PDB file of all heavy atoms in Angstrom:
ATOM      1  N   ALA B  64     -56.891 161.546 -44.486  1.00 97.00           N
ATOM      2  CA  ALA B  64     -58.165 161.123 -43.997  1.00 97.00           C
ATOM      3  C   ALA B  64     -58.983 162.275 -43.547  1.00 97.00           C
ATOM      4  O   ALA B  64     -60.118 162.334 -44.002  1.00 97.00           O
ATOM      5  CB  ALA B  64     -57.992 160.008 -42.977  1.00 97.00           C
ATOM      6  N   MET B  89     -65.834 151.589 -45.795  1.00 98.00           N
ATOM      7  CA  MET B  89     -64.507 151.678 -46.128  1.00 98.00           C
ATOM      8  C   MET B  89     -63.792 150.348 -46.140  1.00 98.00           C
ATOM      9  O   MET B  89     -64.176 149.397 -45.690  1.00 98.00           O
ATOM     10  CB  MET B  89     -63.783 152.705 -45.127  1.00 98.00           C
ATOM     11  CG  MET B  89     -63.615 152.143 -43.727  1.00 98.00           C
ATOM     12  SD  MET B  89     -62.686 153.349 -42.782  1.00 98.00           S
ATOM     13  CE  MET B  89     -62.826 152.602 -41.262  1.00 98.00           C
ATOM     14  N   GLY B 108     -51.220 151.724 -42.127  1.00 94.00           N
ATOM     15  CA  GLY B 108     -52.681 151.397 -42.396  1.00 94.00           C
ATOM     16  C   GLY B 108     -53.632 151.355 -41.277  1.00 94.00           C
ATOM     17  O   GLY B 108     -54.760 151.912 -41.316  1.00 94.00           O
ATOM     18  N   LYS B 109     -53.175 150.969 -40.165  1.00 94.00           N
ATOM     19  CA  LYS B 109     -53.919 151.063 -38.867  1.00 94.00           C
ATOM     20  C   LYS B 109     -54.217 152.584 -38.505  1.00 94.00           C
ATOM     21  O   LYS B 109     -55.383 152.821 -38.212  1.00 94.00           O
ATOM     22  CB  LYS B 109     -53.205 150.448 -37.732  1.00 94.00           C
ATOM     23  CG  LYS B 109     -53.401 149.029 -37.660  1.00 94.00           C
ATOM     24  CD  LYS B 109     -52.759 148.461 -36.224  1.00 94.00           C
ATOM     25  CE  LYS B 109     -52.728 146.909 -36.280  1.00 94.00           C
ATOM     26  NZ  LYS B 109     -52.007 146.466 -35.125  1.00 94.00           N
ATOM     27  N   ARG B 110     -53.295 153.425 -38.630  1.00 95.00           N
ATOM     28  CA  ARG B 110     -53.513 154.815 -38.393  1.00 95.00           C
ATOM     29  C   ARG B 110     -54.452 155.537 -39.417  1.00 95.00           C
ATOM     30  O   ARG B 110     -55.192 156.295 -39.038  1.00 95.00           O
ATOM     31  CB  ARG B 110     -52.060 155.456 -38.275  1.00 95.00           C
ATOM     32  CG  ARG B 110     -51.275 154.925 -37.153  1.00 95.00           C
ATOM     33  CD  ARG B 110     -49.952 155.835 -37.035  1.00 95.00           C
ATOM     34  NE  ARG B 110     -50.224 157.201 -36.911  1.00 95.00           N
ATOM     35  CZ  ARG B 110     -49.587 158.153 -37.611  1.00 95.00           C
ATOM     36  NH1 ARG B 110     -48.676 157.811 -38.416  1.00 95.00           N
ATOM     37  NH2 ARG B 110     -49.970 159.342 -37.438  1.00 95.00           N
ATOM     38  N   ASN B 111     -54.300 155.072 -40.594  1.00 97.00           N
ATOM     39  CA  ASN B 111     -55.181 155.611 -41.594  1.00 97.00           C
ATOM     40  C   ASN B 111     -56.798 155.282 -41.296  1.00 97.00           C
ATOM     41  O   ASN B 111     -57.517 156.080 -41.309  1.00 97.00           O
ATOM     42  CB  ASN B 111     -54.892 155.050 -43.033  1.00 97.00           C
ATOM     43  CG  ASN B 111     -53.829 155.699 -43.659  1.00 97.00           C
ATOM     44  OD1 ASN B 111     -53.494 156.769 -43.362  1.00 97.00           O
ATOM     45  ND2 ASN B 111     -53.136 154.951 -44.697  1.00 97.00           N
ATOM     46  N   VAL B 112     -56.796 153.984 -40.922  1.00 97.00           N
ATOM     47  CA  VAL B 112     -58.155 153.439 -40.563  1.00 97.00           C
ATOM     48  C   VAL B 112     -58.745 154.195 -39.391  1.00 97.00           C
ATOM     49  O   VAL B 112     -59.972 154.557 -39.391  1.00 97.00           O
ATOM     50  CB  VAL B 112     -58.173 151.946 -40.350  1.00 97.00           C
ATOM     51  CG1 VAL B 112     -59.512 151.407 -39.699  1.00 97.00           C
ATOM     52  CG2 VAL B 112     -58.028 151.137 -41.696  1.00 97.00           C
ATOM     53  N   GLN B 113     -57.921 154.395 -38.383  1.00 97.00           N
ATOM     54  CA  GLN B 113     -58.339 155.024 -37.104  1.00 97.00           C
ATOM     55  C   GLN B 113     -58.794 156.544 -37.491  1.00 97.00           C
ATOM     56  O   GLN B 113     -59.785 157.000 -37.034  1.00 97.00           O
ATOM     57  CB  GLN B 113     -57.255 155.005 -36.110  1.00 97.00           C
ATOM     58  CG  GLN B 113     -57.710 155.374 -34.680  1.00 97.00           C
ATOM     59  CD  GLN B 113     -59.012 154.558 -34.251  1.00 97.00           C
ATOM     60  OE1 GLN B 113     -58.980 153.380 -34.203  1.00 97.00           O
ATOM     61  NE2 GLN B 113     -59.991 155.346 -33.679  1.00 97.00           N
ATOM     62  N   SER B 114     -58.020 157.063 -38.215  1.00 97.00           N
ATOM     63  CA  SER B 114     -58.213 158.525 -38.511  1.00 97.00           C
ATOM     64  C   SER B 114     -59.538 158.632 -39.396  1.00 97.00           C
ATOM     65  O   SER B 114     -60.208 159.619 -39.234  1.00 97.00           O
ATOM     66  CB  SER B 114     -57.115 159.141 -39.307  1.00 97.00           C
ATOM     67  OG  SER B 114     -57.273 160.426 -39.595  1.00 97.00           O
ATOM     68  N   CYS B 115     -59.850 157.685 -40.252  1.00 98.00           N
ATOM     69  CA  CYS B 115     -61.083 157.773 -41.077  1.00 98.00           C
ATOM     70  C   CYS B 115     -62.228 157.573 -40.133  1.00 98.00           C
ATOM     71  O   CYS B 115     -63.190 158.220 -40.166  1.00 98.00           O
ATOM     72  CB  CYS B 115     -61.063 156.541 -42.021  1.00 98.00           C
ATOM     73  SG  CYS B 115     -59.887 156.725 -43.428  1.00 98.00           S
ATOM     74  N   ARG B 116     -62.122 156.602 -39.191  1.00 97.00           N
ATOM     75  CA  ARG B 116     -63.232 156.351 -38.174  1.00 97.00           C
ATOM     76  C   ARG B 116     -63.452 157.642 -37.347  1.00 97.00           C
ATOM     77  O   ARG B 116     -64.584 158.123 -37.203  1.00 97.00           O
ATOM     78  CB  ARG B 116     -62.674 155.300 -37.097  1.00 97.00           C
ATOM     79  CG  ARG B 116     -62.888 153.932 -37.648  1.00 97.00           C
ATOM     80  CD  ARG B 116     -62.609 153.014 -36.407  1.00 97.00           C
ATOM     81  NE  ARG B 116     -62.209 151.606 -36.891  1.00 97.00           N
ATOM     82  CZ  ARG B 116     -63.180 150.781 -37.186  1.00 97.00           C
ATOM     83  NH1 ARG B 116     -64.368 150.938 -37.032  1.00 97.00           N
ATOM     84  NH2 ARG B 116     -62.744 149.502 -37.538  1.00 97.00           N
ATOM     85  N   ASP B 117     -62.357 158.211 -36.832  1.00 97.00           N
ATOM     86  CA  ASP B 117     -62.566 159.522 -35.941  1.00 97.00           C
ATOM     87  C   ASP B 117     -63.133 160.583 -36.856  1.00 97.00           C
ATOM     88  O   ASP B 117     -63.954 161.304 -36.306  1.00 97.00           O
ATOM     89  CB  ASP B 117     -61.092 159.882 -35.568  1.00 97.00           C
ATOM     90  CG  ASP B 117     -60.549 158.832 -34.605  1.00 97.00           C
ATOM     91  OD1 ASP B 117     -61.311 158.087 -34.035  1.00 97.00           O
ATOM     92  OD2 ASP B 117     -59.274 158.970 -34.217  1.00 97.00           O
ATOM     93  N   THR B 118     -62.801 160.685 -38.092  1.00 97.00           N
ATOM     94  CA  THR B 118     -63.227 161.906 -38.736  1.00 97.00           C
ATOM     95  C   THR B 118     -64.706 161.674 -39.125  1.00 97.00           C
ATOM     96  O   THR B 118     -65.541 162.524 -38.995  1.00 97.00           O
ATOM     97  CB  THR B 118     -62.443 162.050 -40.149  1.00 97.00           C
ATOM     98  OG1 THR B 118     -61.082 162.056 -39.825  1.00 97.00           O
ATOM     99  CG2 THR B 118     -62.881 163.170 -40.956  1.00 97.00           C
ATOM    100  N   ARG B 120     -66.849 159.925 -37.349  1.00 97.00           N
ATOM    101  CA  ARG B 120     -67.556 160.075 -36.099  1.00 97.00           C
ATOM    102  C   ARG B 120     -67.821 161.533 -35.876  1.00 97.00           C
ATOM    103  O   ARG B 120     -68.843 162.114 -35.505  1.00 97.00           O
ATOM    104  CB  ARG B 120     -66.949 159.507 -34.944  1.00 97.00           C
ATOM    105  CG  ARG B 120     -67.772 159.335 -33.807  1.00 97.00           C
ATOM    106  CD  ARG B 120     -67.076 158.553 -32.564  1.00 97.00           C
ATOM    107  NE  ARG B 120     -66.471 157.258 -32.837  1.00 97.00           N
ATOM    108  CZ  ARG B 120     -65.328 156.879 -32.802  1.00 97.00           C
ATOM    109  NH1 ARG B 120     -64.433 157.597 -32.403  1.00 97.00           N
ATOM    110  NH2 ARG B 120     -65.075 155.636 -33.199  1.00 97.00           N
TER     111      ARG B 120
END
Side-chain angles (χ1 to χ4, degrees):
Chain B
M89 68 176 175
K109 275 188 191 170
R110 294 185 53 227
N111 280 340
V112 167
Q113 191 55 48
S114 182
C115 289
R116 282 183 198 278
D117 293 347
T118 306
R120 192 180 302 124

